[in-house]
Amino acid sequence: MTKKIINIEGMTCSACSNGLEKYLNKQDGIEATVNLIMATASINYDEQKVSIEDINRFIQEAGFKALGEETKNKKSWDLMLIICFGLLSLFLMYISMGDMFGLTIPVWLSKNNHPYLYMNLLLSSAVLALLWGRDILKNGYKNLIHKMPNMDTLVGMGVIVNFLFSLYNTYFIYQGSMNFSKIYFDSVVMIILFVKLGRFIDKSNKRKAVDVIKNLVTITPKKATVLKEGKEVTLTLNEIKKGDIVICKPGEKIAVDGEIMKGSTHTDESFLTGESEPVKKKVGDKCLAGSINYDGYIEYKALKVGKDSSISNIVDLVVEATNTKAPISRVADKISAYFVPFIFLVALMAFGLNLLITKQLALSIEALVTVLVVACPCALGLATPLALVIAIGRASRLGFAIKSSEFIEYLKKIDTIVFDKTGTITKGELSLVDMQIKADYSKPEILKVLASIEKNSNHPLAKSIWQKAQDFYDVSDFQEKSGFGVTAKIKGQSYYAGNEKYLKQFNIPNDFSEKALEFTNKKMSIIYLWNDKDLLAIFGLMDEIKPHVKELMQDLNKLNYQTIMLTGDNENTAKIIAKEVGITKVYSDVTPEGKLDLIKSLNTHDNVLMLGDGINDSPALRSATIGISVSNGTDISSDASDIIMLTSNMARLVDLFKLGAKTMRIIKENLFWAFIYNLAMVPLATGLLPIKLNPMIASMAMILSSLTVVLNSLRLKK
């Protein structure tokens, strides 16, 4: 299956996006998710069955326009048309209703003195408005044909009925009748104006909502200085190749992900991690595209360029998240699917009852049109997706890359938070601080053996050993037993390194048990080294607790979350660290399989969130309702997790929970106001109550309802 995200023009409400999504999914070889707020369709398609040209055609058949992967900004043109038709509407109101307010109307514009000129002005204005709103009419018609009526169908039908009825009565005026009360051409212009104005306001506010996402693309500089054969050459980002040496001077942005080969500096990575504190960088450290070089000259080797860079991966993750649907969003979609047909039924009933009671066709048609216009489900369509898009953008600023919008909703279900120890609670930057070696062996020899057999492992304990070694033996038959340790052969001799559980499997006596207790009391992690016959050495490695972890645990305990630590480390060390940071429950000596089983047993009500480093925690992270991988900022593509934590400030996790709770509260408020609006306005629009609406007031009320939802959602940006 091939995946494409295509920009769509013409979607205005959830009925639009739902209709397009259903139509695309009916086609053989296509799986589609349509995003109203981002105006995109995320499409997986089988190239053997369908082409991108076919997909574009299907989108057009459904009443919309595929814009490919680039969109043009038509904001200025749209605004100009709105201003022009706004002035035209004021002019029409002046000549049609000015005499009601005592305004002086020039004789040549008076409907009584020059009725034909007056009618020609109104009719031509209505025709111009219909041409301007032809996208509404076209989309409404196509969605009706496909049995997927939407907002455009409601407005289009109301406008056409209004226009045709007015056109019918225009005939009698040309025959000499002076009854202008049944002419609604000015209403046609006003309805289309207000709908267009509402859409313009919606689009403008949606742009604000997705600014954070789209601005990520512009973080990196357009050009960079590269060393080519000893000379400085300015290249565009597309010309930089992996392995190039790139120069970055103070005040400049780092162009691509890389490794510093010369110099040192401080960099600002706040765009990625949310941390405002400058980060010290030296030779051997990784640097991230888009970060600002504060105060030093550096040369760095390009490691990840173009779409492989960290910032590109983040953009992909955030955009992908906005193209998913949370469960609460699906509820609103289902309601919208039934809402439009229901409104058609109400409109027809309003028409019939008004005709039966008043015997006046004009009033009956006005009631029909008013119901169709006032009930457009714009607010309902915006209520959920807009809030979720803003929340995802806000989360990215806090330092969290969320892979799917549904996890925003799931945050509210969480009451138990499980932490891995090494690399999550602690920095994972262990140092070898003590050891005891069997008398028959030398320290350099033992360290070389240990580094050699650990070299192929990516576990934090193993990396702390081999990354600082200078000399290695050639090894063969390397194997890693997750949660226990490693084994390999050196010159035909088997060696093993791992924890005490692994040692016990070989029935080798632990001659270093007293030393192990000493290491444990000092909060050290322990590695044993042995061969087929003897225990050769014990090593104590010290790790530091991450900043802000104690603050995080205090906040979580105050909020009544249960905090649990799962670790493969020994019980004494685990309990000491848990007590120091304030974790309430500890499971130690746990294998990856054991972590998975524990998460499954705890997660009986979809209530468990787990944080891990993603190295040996993948099964457990997948099994939790929400899995968060703690990233070092250079590996953004952790497949096991649902959310990637890019910030080093662990206390930000509380902010994420608060964001989730606030998002759900605002979504519920949006849905409440959207439903209340329709419950209040539709009965008034029927014309059967003492208080009545006309189509122009109905279209203004529709705008206000959408604006209420948009402004309420924008509160999430703060």
Side-chain angles (χ1 to χ4, degrees):
M1 299 286 280
T2 303
K3 186 168 188 177
K4 281 271 187 184
I5 295 179
I6 299 175
N7 293 296
I8 307 294
E9 185 180 81
M11 295 191 299
T12 55
C13 66
S14 59
C16 298
S17 55
N18 290 344
L20 177 58
E21 184 172 295
K22 288 179 181 177
Y23 189 71
L24 289 174
N25 285 321
K26 285 180 182 178
Q27 314 306 321
D28 188 28
I30 294 179
E31 295 175 2
T33 302
V34 179
N35 187 315
L36 172 65
I37 302 304
M38 296 293 287
T40 57
S42 178
I43 299 175
N44 290 300
Y45 64 98
D46 187 344
E47 289 185 296
Q48 302 298 320
K49 296 180 178 179
V50 66
S51 66
I52 193 67
E53 289 77 16
D54 293 328
I55 293 171
N56 291 337
R57 177 168 52 81
F58 294 144
I59 292 170
Q60 188 173 5
E61 286 175 359
F64 307 97
K65 184 178 180 181
L67 300 176
E69 299 186 57
E70 297 290 335
T71 58
K72 294 181 180 178
N73 187 0
K74 302 193 300 178
K75 186 176 179 181
S76 299
W77 176 247
D78 289 343
L79 181 59
M80 186 178 71
L81 285 173
I82 287 170
I83 292 172
C84 290
F85 275 91
L87 294 173
L88 176 62
S89 297
L90 290 174
F91 172 72
L92 294 179
M93 289 176 66
Y94 168 65
I95 64 172
S96 62
M97 294 185 290
D99 52 356
M100 295 170 56
F101 298 98
L103 298 176
T104 302
I105 300 174
V107 174
W108 65 277
L109 286 176
S110 171
K111 55 188 172 186
N112 295 316
N113 295 309
H114 295 279
Y116 300 144
L117 176 61
Y118 172 79
M119 287 307 305
N120 288 337
L121 280 172
L122 261 62
L123 177 58
S124 58
S125 298
V127 171
L128 285 174
L130 290 175
L131 290 173
W132 183 36
R134 63 187 180 278
D135 57 325
I136 299 172
L137 306 179
K138 180 181 176 183
N139 292 341
Y141 169 74
K142 286 192 174 182
N143 280 279
L144 186 63
I145 293 299
H146 292 306
K147 299 179 181 178
M148 296 179 292
N150 63 354
M151 169 189 167
D152 288 339
T153 312
L154 294 177
V155 173
M157 185 167 289
V159 167
I160 291 297
V161 169
N162 227 341
F163 180 80
L164 292 177
F165 182 68
S166 301
L167 193 63
Y168 170 75
N169 286 294
T170 301
Y171 169 78
F172 295 104
I173 289 177
Y174 280 113
Q175 294 298 316
S177 170
M178 291 292 106
N179 184 4
F180 297 98
S181 63
K182 297 179 181 180
I183 303 299
Y184 298 108
F185 288 131
D186 51 345
S187 293
V188 170
V189 178
M190 294 289 282
I191 291 170
I192 290 177
L193 170 66
F194 283 131
V195 171
K196 289 281 190 175
L197 178 60
R199 290 184 181 181
F200 181 80
I201 293 171
D202 286 344
K203 284 182 180 179
S204 297
N205 284 294
K206 286 177 197 175
R207 288 188 188 104
K208 294 177 184 177
V210 300
D211 271 349
V212 173
I213 298 169
K214 293 187 176 179
N215 285 344
L216 286 172
V217 182
T218 64
I219 283 174
T220 54
K222 294 181 179 179
K223 296 181 180 180
T225 304
V226 178
L227 280 177
K228 293 284 187 181
E229 299 177 354
K231 295 181 180 180
E232 295 185 7
V233 181
T234 301
L235 301 178
T236 64
L237 292 194
N238 292 333
E239 294 174 316
I240 297 175
K241 307 297 182 186
K242 187 175 180 180
D244 283 349
I245 301 299
V246 188
I247 293 172
C248 189
K249 299 174 183 178
E252 294 180 345
K253 285 185 176 182
I254 291 170
V256 296
D257 290 356
E259 178 181 346
I260 297 177
M261 309 301 292
K262 180 180 178 181
S264 63
T265 188
H266 290 83
T267 61
D268 176 4
E269 299 177 352
S270 58
F271 73 94
L272 181 69
T273 65
E275 298 298 322
S276 58
E277 287 292 320
V279 181
K280 174 70 176 177
K281 297 289 183 180
K282 59 185 184 302
V283 173
D285 289 343
K286 300 295 190 296
C287 53
L288 303 176
S291 55
I292 300 171
N293 178 7
Y294 271 139
D295 52 15
Y297 171 92
I298 57 171
E299 296 177 6
Y300 60 96
K301 182 193 293 185
L303 298 180
K304 295 181 179 179
V305 298
K307 292 187 177 181
D308 294 327
S309 68
S310 299
I311 194 64
S312 293
N313 283 321
I314 293 171
V315 171
D316 289 343
L317 284 176
V318 176
V319 172
E320 182 65 28
T322 63
N323 280 295
T324 58
K325 292 189 177 182
I328 196 168
S329 182
R330 297 187 188 105
V331 171
D333 288 347
K334 288 180 181 178
I335 293 171
S336 295
Y338 292 103
F339 179 76
V340 175
F342 170 74
I343 290 302
F344 271 121
L345 181 61
V346 172
L348 290 173
M349 289 176 62
F351 172 80
L353 289 172
N354 272 278
L355 189 61
L356 185 66
I357 296 169
T358 67
K359 311 296 184 183
Q360 295 186 42
L361 183 60
L363 289 177
S364 303
I365 289 177
E366 184 176 285
L368 182 146
V369 172
T370 305
V371 171
L372 292 176
V373 172
V374 82
C376 292
C378 304
L380 185 61
L382 292 170
T384 302
L386 182 60
L388 289 172
V389 167
I390 297 172
I392 290 166
R394 174 67 178 154
S396 71
R397 293 203 302 275
L398 290 173
F400 296 90
I402 299 177
K403 294 186 177 182
S404 175
S405 59
E406 63 186 327
F407 298 112
I408 293 284
E409 182 174 349
Y410 292 160
L411 282 167
K412 194 174 181 182
K413 297 181 179 181
I414 301 301
D415 59 23
T416 302
I417 305 173
V418 180
F419 297 86
D420 178 44
K421 181 178 77 67
T422 305
T424 304
I425 293 174
T426 63
K427 290 183 177 180
E429 300 170 358
L430 296 98
S431 299
L432 181 59
V433 295
D434 201 355
M435 68 183 73
Q436 184 172 335
I437 299 171
K438 195 170 182 180
D440 298 341
Y441 296 88
S442 69
K443 180 179 177 180
E445 173 69 13
I446 287 296
L447 287 174
K448 185 175 179 180
V449 169
L450 179 65
S452 299
I453 66 172
E454 294 277 24
K455 189 176 180 182
N456 291 321
S457 174
N458 203 34
H459 191 279
L461 287 172
K463 289 173 72 174
S464 65
I465 297 293
W466 63 260
Q467 282 186 334
K468 296 178 182 178
Q470 301 293 325
D471 194 17
F472 301 94
Y473 286 115
D474 292 330
V475 301
S476 60
D477 299 337
F478 172 84
Q479 292 183 358
E480 181 166 7
K481 190 172 183 181
S482 187
F484 290 89
V486 298
T487 178
K489 286 185 178 181
I490 298 175
K491 299 178 181 178
Q493 170 70 54
S494 294
Y495 290 94
Y496 309 86
N499 55 29
E500 189 173 9
K501 289 184 298 179
Y502 197 22
L503 176 66
K504 286 180 179 179
Q505 292 183 5
F506 292 81
N507 297 317
I508 293 177
N510 187 354
D511 298 330
F512 299 134
S513 55
E514 291 184 8
K515 196 68 174 177
L517 182 60
E518 177 189 331
F519 287 173
T520 299
N521 291 334
K522 294 179 180 178
K523 296 188 296 183
M524 293 184 190
S525 295
I526 296 170
I527 294 178
Y528 292 95
L529 177 68
W530 67 97
N531 58 25
D532 289 325
K533 298 178 181 179
D534 299 312
L535 178 59
L536 307 179
I538 182 174
F539 304 90
L541 296 94
M542 183 75 76
D543 194 2
E544 290 184 52
I545 293 171
K546 286 184 176 180
H548 310 294
V549 168
K550 294 179 184 178
E551 178 188 343
L552 169 65
M553 299 307 168
Q554 288 174 359
D555 291 340
L556 292 176
N557 290 331
K558 286 178 184 176
L559 295 169
N560 296 319
Y561 288 101
Q562 182 182 19
T563 53
I564 298 173
M565 184 169 76
L566 295 184
T567 178
D569 215 337
N570 64 78
E571 182 179 1
N572 291 332
T573 300
K575 285 184 175 179
I576 291 169
I577 291 176
K579 184 177 180 181
E580 182 175 346
V581 300
I583 287 180
T584 55
K585 199 168 186 178
V586 178
Y587 293 92
S588 57
D589 296 307
V590 185
T591 64
E593 292 79 8
K595 290 180 181 180
L596 174 61
D597 292 339
L598 278 167
I599 292 295
K600 285 181 177 178
S601 65
L602 293 167
N603 198 29
T604 53
H605 298 94
D606 293 328
N607 59 320
V608 173
L609 178 148
M610 180 178 177
L611 285 91
D613 57 19
I615 295 173
N616 60 357
D617 301 322
S618 297
L621 287 170
R622 286 194 183 98
S623 184
T625 298
I626 300 177
I628 299 182
S629 64
V630 180
S631 170
N632 62 5
T634 57
D635 181 16
I636 312 299
S637 57
S638 178
D639 292 332
S641 61
D642 308 306
I643 300 173
I644 300 173
M645 188 174 188
L646 304 172
T647 176
S648 60
N649 186 347
M650 296 291 286
R652 285 285 177 87
L653 184 64
V654 175
D655 295 328
L656 183 65
F657 280 115
K658 290 179 179 178
L659 175 64
K662 186 176 181 180
T663 302
M664 295 310 299
R665 184 172 67 252
I666 282 179
I667 286 174
K668 289 175 181 177
E669 289 171 0
N670 287 348
L671 291 172
F672 171 79
W673 287 115
F675 283 123
I676 286 296
Y677 160 78
N678 280 295
L679 286 174
M681 291 299 169
V682 171
L684 296 178
T686 61
L688 300 172
L689 299 177
I691 301 175
K692 300 179 181 181
L693 300 177
N694 63 43
M696 287 181 285
I697 295 175
S699 56
M700 290 179 66
M702 179 187 66
I703 293 174
L704 290 175
S705 70
S706 297
L707 196 57
T708 300
V709 166
V710 170
L711 293 176
N712 193 42
S713 298
L714 288 173
R715 290 166 51 210
L716 283 166
K717 294 185 73 175
K718 299 178 181 179

